[in-house]
Amino acid sequence: MADTPFHSTDACIIGAGPVGLFTVFQCGMVRIKCHVVDALDAVGGQCAALYPEKPIYDVPAQPSILAGDLISTLETQAAPFKPTYHLGQQVTGLTRQDNGRWLVETSKGVKIDCAVVIIAAGAGAFGPNRPPLDGIEQYESQSVFYFVKSREAFRNKRVVIAGGGDSAVDWALSLSELAASVSLIHRRPKFRCAPESAARLKELSEAGKIDLVVPYQLHSLEGENGQLSTVRVADLDGNTRDLEADVLLPFFGLATSLGPISSWGLEMDKSHIAINQGTSATSVEGIFAVGDVCSYPGKLKLILTGFAEAAQAAHHAYPLVHKGEALHFEHSTSMGTPGA
């Protein structure tokens, strides 16, 4: 059903990733109604779009939870407050109205009148950094993938992974359990990953479960009709080596952009929005920022940090939404949630 063109609400949250979803919950707990805008066609941000089957280990009370499952539980937690989602569209305009409220406009022509805006845009719009290989486009989405959405899709496949960071190492470790073979290419012998992951990688390499192709880098691809057969790599001296492959997973990070957000007159800290750590307020009254998009001294880019910032933003947005009303703080154990 087409999105209706005009809405009026208490808060507009920009970004429907994990921190954006938890912001809906925190706002709901202080009687702030929310509309949520996200450029993706589904909620969840990078957790849902890039690595739904990747385990996350640092969410409180969850020894391990798949990213996709985390999004499902956050969406369920927010549901009692009946947020309205405007998905598959980007915020293109933000205007202060004469009455002091904000008018948010999207790329699909939707207009949202609101008292406060909470930016939970993560790193902004994102896409993969593609390796500069001739003809790689013909293999993309068939045998070259930049994200892993389902481990099972790689069962009994000859998998070649390129990269030296956490994503490359984590997926090499994970896919070694079900792939026919896993080769990990990196231009240096040392990987940029957690020490425990590095130790596990060494252990699996010595056991013949993972082939460490170092120091090498991608050189060229061979195959037919979009299906890879060989990944050719080269060392620093130009010597080449061929790796049999059904699949190539290049993990060279994401190219990100804040897009129109960077032109809204907010105080910036390089490519991040500067906020007051105690309130999550930006330099412009009525606009807050939470999660990876914001910055302050000592900031840690963790989901749990974003969750805390969401609570700060909701509580400090309250007097702007409910003018003249005092907020009497209550813990969720005493106030409950709608229907609880």
Side-chain angles (χ1 to χ4, degrees):
M1 185 167 75
D3 207 339
T4 53
F6 184 82
H7 305 267
S8 185
T9 189
D10 295 331
C12 180
I13 299 172
I14 302 173
V19 174
L21 292 174
F22 192 65
T23 303
V24 173
F25 171 79
Q26 287 292 336
C27 283
M29 294 294 282
V30 292
R31 297 189 295 111
I32 295 177
K33 299 186 298 293
C34 297
H35 281 232
V36 186
V37 181
D38 198 283
L40 299 180
D41 292 328
V43 302
Q46 293 186 22
C47 284
L50 307 188
Y51 44 85
E53 292 192 353
K54 187 173 182 179
I56 299 174
Y57 300 101
D58 58 357
V59 174
Q62 296 285 348
S64 174
I65 184 169
L66 297 181
D69 291 343
L70 175 64
I71 295 306
S72 295
T73 55
L74 286 167
E75 190 175 8
T76 299
Q77 186 179 33
F81 299 107
K82 298 180 171 55
T84 299
Y85 294 102
H86 306 273
L87 303 176
Q89 52 198 296
Q90 186 178 27
V91 173
T92 54
L94 179 64
T95 307
R96 174 83 79 175
Q97 302 176 89
D98 291 341
N99 61 5
R101 291 169 62 87
W102 293 98
L103 183 65
V104 175
E105 300 178 71
T106 80
S107 55
K108 287 188 176 179
V110 173
K111 296 182 178 182
I112 303 168
D113 165 75
C114 55
V116 297
V117 174
I118 304 176
I119 303 171
F126 57 86
N129 286 318
R130 290 174 166 81
L133 296 176
D134 291 339
I136 192 171
E137 297 84 1
Q138 65 181 298
Y139 300 103
E140 291 176 340
S141 300
Q142 185 169 335
S143 53
V144 172
F145 303 94
Y146 299 101
F147 316 117
V148 176
K149 293 190 176 182
S150 170
R151 290 174 73 242
E152 195 60 33
F154 301 97
R155 182 174 292 278
N156 300 324
K157 302 285 189 181
R158 298 170 297 176
V159 178
V160 175
I161 298 174
D166 283 313
S167 291
V169 173
D170 289 348
W171 282 120
L173 297 177
S174 179
L175 294 178
S176 69
E177 299 172 0
L178 51 81
S181 64
V182 174
S183 300
L184 180 56
I185 306 165
H186 187 40
R187 63 182 183 274
R188 288 189 290 270
K190 187 173 183 179
F191 291 84
R192 304 180 309 278
C193 62
E196 187 173 319
S197 297
R200 179 64 177 155
L201 183 65
K202 180 181 178 183
E203 178 183 320
L204 291 176
S205 173
E206 292 174 348
K209 299 287 188 180
I210 296 176
D211 180 16
L212 292 184
V213 185
V214 294
Y216 281 88
Q217 54 192 2
L218 294 172
H219 181 274
S220 59
L221 305 177
E222 290 185 2
E224 292 184 358
N225 301 318
Q227 179 55 58
L228 276 176
S229 59
T230 303
V231 173
R232 181 166 294 129
V233 297
D235 64 17
L236 300 180
D237 296 320
N239 301 308
T240 61
R241 173 183 169 187
D242 287 351
L243 306 174
E244 294 183 347
D246 299 309
V247 173
L248 171 65
L249 303 175
F251 292 124
F252 297 127
L254 299 174
T256 60
S257 171
L258 286 180
I261 294 175
S262 59
S263 65
W264 291 349
L266 304 172
E267 181 184 344
M268 304 295 292
D269 180 6
K270 297 179 181 178
S271 59
H272 297 80
I273 300 171
I275 67 166
N276 180 315
Q277 182 179 1
T279 64
S280 293
T282 71
S283 59
V284 176
E285 184 179 12
I287 301 180
F288 300 81
V290 296
D292 286 355
V293 74
C294 70
S295 177
Y296 49 80
K299 162 81 175 188
L300 291 176
K301 285 193 173 184
L302 297 171
I303 290 177
L304 64 90
T305 306
F307 288 168
E309 292 158 357
Q312 294 279 21
H315 280 252
H316 289 88
Y318 181 91
L320 300 176
V321 174
H322 301 288
K323 293 183 181 296
E325 294 184 29
L327 174 60
H328 300 289
F329 178 79
E330 290 185 82
H331 292 99
S332 62
T333 51
S334 59
M335 67 184 297
T337 59

